[in-house]
Amino acid sequence: MKKSVINLVKEKGVRYLSDKELVGIIIGGNTPGDSLNKSLIKLPDSLTELAKMELSDLESINISTLKSVQIMATFELSKRKLEEENEGVVLNSTQRAVNLFKPRLMDLKHEEFHVAFVGRKLKIIKYMEMFKGGTDATTVDPKVIIKHAFSIGGVYGILCAHNHPSEDPTPSEADRKITRKIQDICNIADIRFLDHIIIAGNKYYSFQS
């Protein structure tokens, strides 16, 4: 099996392999065939779910620490590639904003609240991971956001985003309340509030759409 996978890669490239065949290449190494097959069977079918697995989760299905770290590193490199592609992008649409926040938030098991500070041409001046919370909530202080905007200087507007680990993008009443508070303090500070986006796995919700 190992030889056939290598031959297929040589002939056609890795894009023709299934998700689990790709993972199998990463964790194959010195793992015995039977052990490798059992580990692959226990892996989730969804890459989104696999990306959420922590070191202890992978080790619990008999994947070695080294191979577990290699899997996690592969996903991290993929995220950083997406982040790099979005550097310097003009954030003049909801989809571009989603593309900015999604790689950073979609696979987290806890909630985080991120803010992108932009200039008049809607290019990012500074990106900040501002608040962290639990699995279903995080405490956000709008005054802290504005304080950072003033300290950065030259900020024309802000885009906010947080994630829902439940993968349901429906905003809660708390989400709506904090959005109104951020809008209000932005109006007072003469800074444009551009959007608040909820990232939920591959889905999202935009307060401005």
Side-chain angles (χ1 to χ4, degrees), residues 71-109:
I71 291 173
M72 296 170 70
T74 299
F75 280 110
E76 182 62 26
L77 283 171
S78 177
K79 291 178 189 176
R80 293 186 187 187
K81 178 180 179 293
L82 288 172
E83 291 173 6
E84 186 178 281
E85 289 173 352
N86 286 303
E87 287 181 3
V89 170
V90 177
L91 300 177
N92 58 359
S93 71
T94 298
Q95 190 57 58
R96 286 187 171 184
V98 170
N99 291 344
L100 171 72
F101 290 114
K102 186 176 176 181
R104 296 168 166 89
L105 291 168
M106 66 179 293
D107 295 327
L108 298 178
K109 289 186 176 181

Side-chain angles (χ1 to χ4, degrees), residues 101 104-105 108-117 127-149 158-165 174-175 178-179 181-182 185-186 193 196-197:
F101 290 114
R104 296 168 166 89
L105 291 168
L108 298 178
K109 289 186 176 181
H110 61 278
E111 283 200 8
E112 289 191 6
F113 192 95
H114 295 189
V115 180
F117 300 90
Y127 185 102
M128 297 185 68
E129 302 171 6
M130 297 206 65
F131 307 101
K132 291 185 179 182
T135 57
D136 59 0
T138 187
T139 301
V140 177
D141 187 344
K143 295 188 294 297
V144 173
I145 296 173
I146 295 302
K147 181 180 179 180
H148 279 289
I158 63 171
L159 289 124
C160 305
H162 80 282
N163 63 307
H164 281 182
D175 293 334
I178 196 61
T179 301
K181 286 185 176 181
I182 296 172
I185 200 167
C186 281
F193 174 79
H196 177 192
I197 295 169

